[in-house]
Amino acid sequence: MVDRRTMLAGGAGVAIGALGSSPAAAAAGGLHALAATRGLSFGTCLAAPRRDNGSLGNPRFAALVERDCGMAVPENAMKWQAIRPSADRYDFAAFDAIVDAAIRRGLRLRGHTLLWHYDRWFPRWLVDYDFGSQKRATAERLLQTHIRTVAARYGRRIGSYDVVNEAVDPADGSLRSTALSRAMGGAEPVLDLAFHAARAAAPHAELVYNDYMSWEDGNQKHRDGVLRLLEGFRTRGTPVHALGVQSHIGVFEPTDSIERLVVRLTPAWRGFLDQVTGMGYRLVVTEFDVRDRGLPADIARRDRDVAAFARGYLDVMLSYPQLRDVLAWGITDRFSWLRGFEPRPDGKITRGLPYDEEYAPKPLYGAIRDALAAATPRR
Ligand code: G3I
């Protein structure tokens, strides 16, 4: 007889239990159930419900979420571009549908994002906005009203917010200039206001600064910029509880040993995380996936390397007791943002999520599971 986990594994007929070595993990019902035994949570981002996307409206996708996830976050539906079509109008339809479907399934919800501090991702109307003669007051009102309106609508249904996303320019670690920062005379007042407004509107919620400074080479300036920002928040008493570590990790160059690469990257990354946690911040893995464009086309080799790289990374992250929630940026390669945003030079489908495009689990699934199983239980 085929058990439920094997059946849900989909077309390739791979039993989840066959993918890793930990008996404790194999006995558990899925990634979140296992995570929960360690005081952790596992989750994914979601699209607005439709039958043919990465959402709870797609029965095959929903089956994976049901098995593996205890948390969810909207991939796009809570961004200004989605819910704020103009200064005086909101459109919550898509996000409402995600929230309702997620709550019905008992998922905890994160909100992403109250402010993506980057003109590139502002709605066009905001980039071009005429702030008038009282620029600062007008910008403050616009931002505050946005945060209050969203937070009031969802109340306690959202327990954690990426209040600010990607405010640091990775090129030099400075804060980005945006339409709002130009109107308010600098980025710091914008970011501080966002967090103060979020605390006032959602006093129950965890407030997160979310960014993609990562552990690979070339991220030093970005990491330093994030550390300066976090230090500034602390000095000014800005209410920020956690750093969201997006975790779009990747192997970008051919490498003969993933294990050696992990060993090489770990010390600087730990140094960064030590400083973040030393300032009193918690950690959230908010958008985990693995970019595989430096890895060979061969699927067996690529999957093994992706899994090894992920395992090395997650082991470091999970060694910090300040981390409790691990969310992946999708669950199957079929709907990964990487396919469109970062296609492989050889045109092969990227394989950075735990299930492949046919909804079959891959070695990455086993790596996540074993990393969760190996985590020290949180109190
Ligand atoms: O919904 C429209 C559709 O109507 C239209 O036909 C189509 C044509 O391009 O675009 C669709 O919107 C796209 C949307 O994704 C939904 O698929 C946007 O163009 C596209 O820009 C948008 O990309 C998202 C991106 O953020 C920008 O918002 C990705 O899906 C999403 O995965 C990505 O997520 C970000 C996080 O928010 C922050 N951290 C990095 C992460 C990855 O880039």
Side-chain angles (χ1 to χ4, degrees), residues 143-161:
L143 178 59
Q144 234 163 358
T145 309
H146 183 86
I147 291 174
R148 270 196 213 126
T149 306
V150 176
R153 183 175 186 90
Y154 298 103
R156 289 187 164 270
R157 288 180 291 169
I158 298 184
S160 173
Y161 280 103

Side-chain angles (χ1 to χ4, degrees), residues 45 75-76 79 81 112-113 116 121 165-166 210 212 246 248 287 329 337 341:
C45 68
E75 181 172 9
N76 290 309
K79 294 171 181 171
Q81 297 95 322
H112 171 85
T113 167
W116 191 340
W121 300 113
N165 187 52
E166 296 173 21
N210 191 47
Y212 61 87
Q246 292 187 5
H248 296 291
E287 307 183 11
W329 209 236
W337 71 288
F341 279 74

Side-chain angles (χ1 to χ4, degrees), residues 6 35 60 103 155 205 262 264 285 291 310 331 339:
T6 308
R60 292 182 83 190
I103 301 278
V262 165
R264 190 167 64 70
V285 170
R291 297 141 83 184
I331 200 147
R339 291 182 70 162

Side-chain angles (χ1 to χ4, degrees), residues 2 19 22 42 54 66 69 142 164 239 241 304 323 337 352 358:
V2 180
L19 285 170
S22 155
F42 185 80
E66 194 170 316
C69 297
L142 198 69
V164 174
H241 304 125
R304 194 190 64 210
L323 174 67
W337 71 288
E358 294 304 329

